[in-house]
Amino acid sequence: MKKERYSAQALAIAMVVLVVSSILAISIYSRVSKDKSLSLDERNSAEALEISDLILNYLTASPIDSTINTIEETGTQSLADPSGITLTESATKTEISDLLDSLSGVSNSLDNLSICPITVSDNTYFLNIRKADLDTYFEVRPGQIMALPVKGISLPVDANACTTTIKTAVRGDSGAGFSVTKVYARNYTNGIASSYKPYQEEDVLHYCFATSSTCNSEGTLGGGLNWIPFKDDGTENITVALNEIKTYNSDDYRLDEIKITAIGGTIGISYNIPTTCTEELNMINVQAGANCSGTYRGKSVLIPAKQWEVPLFNYVLFNGEGSL
């Protein structure tokens, strides 16, 4: 009987096992490295977002107009610049800390943070303050109000100099709507009116979002109202003269406040006021961000330059729907 021996068979099997083991090891190492990288990115992202929140919390603790005045007094930057005011915090720059230290009632602790420490060269914080434009919308939930408190503001005599453009957009249900209420007053003393003009039907106008000449969902808004269709594609706007005067019983009343109420869904509101009119009614867009080990996250908030008060008694039921 003839016997054949294959001396290289064991070596070939060993090589196959070694190759397979190497591939498995490389795959496991790659997966572990990827998971570790994702975990670090998630941690850095969470820290960057927390830093952004912290900066905004510090900044909103002080009135925004005083914050802007503090920056402009240095003479280095101005809100009049289209790009606004930009401040940076890094291992070599302390612009944001310097600003927070100068604001009353603000306790700055950016230097002693345990997360995304500014002492690390790759970590950087950013802050931008600029005037909001017509493409920047302030979101108002149903039943809530955004106001333009014209009261007590000195306006130019020229009527054309103070015409503001207001835009609204769908931010939820396309069947939503909104109302625009104008309040008129007279005889101001220290910015407080002594008398108000009684409401008239033309002082309160109701608009509904529509793709054509009919409301998208008039039934849910209350069909008894005289709804004015308003295009929901962002191409339509409302113009209001801020120095408007109305006569009632031989007395002249000037525009005191414009109230925009969201009805049936969340809406976005933006407006533009000519620089020649007033700077007091601008909506300020404050953006804060942080770069933590190469991961950037940021947040943005809109703050009215002139604060408005939430009305205590201003509730209306539209077709049985509303807040009380």
Side-chain angles (χ1 to χ4, degrees):
M1 181 179 293
K2 183 179 179 181
K3 295 183 178 180
E4 295 183 3
R5 301 179 62 185
Y6 300 94
S7 57
Q9 188 175 31
L11 179 61
I13 294 174
M15 289 297 294
V16 170
V17 172
L18 182 61
V19 170
V20 172
S21 299
S22 299
I23 294 174
L24 290 176
I26 293 173
S27 300
I28 293 173
Y29 176 78
S30 176
R31 180 62 182 270
V32 171
S33 299
K34 186 176 181 179
D35 288 345
K36 182 180 179 180
S37 177
L38 289 175
S39 298
L40 289 175
D41 287 343
E42 288 179 3
R43 187 193 69 179
N44 293 333
S45 177
E47 290 184 357
L49 194 61
E50 190 169 346
I51 294 296
S52 303
D53 277 330
L54 186 63
I55 295 174
L56 291 176
N57 288 338
Y58 283 151
L59 199 66
T60 53
S62 179
I64 190 63
D65 54 348
S66 64
T67 300
I68 295 172
N69 290 336
T70 300
I71 299 174
E72 292 183 331
E73 284 174 358
T74 63
T76 56
Q77 297 191 69
S78 173
L79 193 66
D81 191 305
S83 61
I85 298 168
T86 302
L87 303 179
T88 306
E89 188 87 3
S90 65
T92 57
K93 282 187 177 183
T94 58
E95 295 176 344
I96 300 178
S97 293
D98 293 342
L99 170 63
L100 297 178
D101 289 336
S102 64
L103 300 178
S104 60
V106 177
S107 177
N108 171 32
S109 61
L110 293 181
D111 299 332
N112 304 315
L113 295 177
S114 59
I115 59 171
C116 191
I118 204 64
T119 52
V120 178
S121 59
D122 291 339
N123 296 342
T124 312
Y125 311 155
F126 304 95
L127 175 64
N128 179 261
I129 305 173
R130 60 183 176 86
K131 290 187 289 187
D133 53 27
L134 280 173
D135 294 323
T136 307
Y137 289 90
F138 182 85
E139 292 193 355
V140 181
R141 288 182 289 181
Q144 294 187 346
I145 294 173
M146 194 209 81
L148 285 177
V150 188
K151 59 187 74 176
I153 297 179
S154 178
L155 301 175
V157 179
D158 184 6
N160 296 325
C162 277
T163 299
T164 180
T165 301
I166 300 174
K167 292 182 66 176
T168 60
V170 176
R171 284 294 181 267
D173 187 358
S174 63
F178 61 95
S179 68
V180 178
T181 303
K182 296 181 183 179
V183 180
Y184 298 86
R186 63 191 297 268
N187 294 339
Y188 286 85
T189 302
N190 297 326
I192 300 176
S194 62
S195 61
Y196 289 85
K197 185 180 79 65
Y199 280 114
Q200 294 178 284
E201 187 173 349
E202 63 267 21
D203 297 337
V204 184
L205 299 178
H206 306 282
Y207 296 85
C208 65
F209 289 112
T211 54
S212 60
S213 59
T214 305
C215 298
N216 290 341
S217 182
E218 185 173 334
T220 60
L221 295 174
L225 295 175
N226 295 322
W227 292 102
I228 303 173
F230 191 89
K231 292 182 180 179
D232 58 5
D233 57 3
T235 60
E236 196 167 358
N237 56 60
I238 301 170
T239 57
V240 178
L242 297 181
N243 47 12
E244 182 180 1
I245 297 176
K246 276 201 170 184
T247 303
Y248 182 83
N249 287 344
S250 301
D251 293 323
D252 289 338
Y253 295 83
R254 60 166 292 185
L255 184 63
D256 181 84
E257 189 174 26
I258 304 171
K259 298 178 181 180
I260 304 175
T261 307
I263 304 171
T266 301
I267 67 171
I269 303 173
S270 67
Y271 61 90
N272 179 54
I273 298 176
T275 306
T276 55
C277 179
T278 178
E279 295 289 332
E280 293 186 57
L281 296 179
N282 283 314
M283 189 72 77
I284 307 302
N285 188 356
V286 181
Q287 299 175 345
N291 190 340
C292 299
S293 301
T295 302
Y296 179 84
R297 292 292 298 276
K299 275 194 171 183
S300 175
V301 296
L302 290 174
I303 305 173
K306 184 176 182 180
Q307 299 291 334
W308 62 75
E309 298 81 15
V310 177
L312 293 177
F313 305 102
N314 191 16
Y315 298 100
V316 180
L317 290 176
F318 294 91
N319 196 28
E321 296 184 2
S323 302
L324 281 180

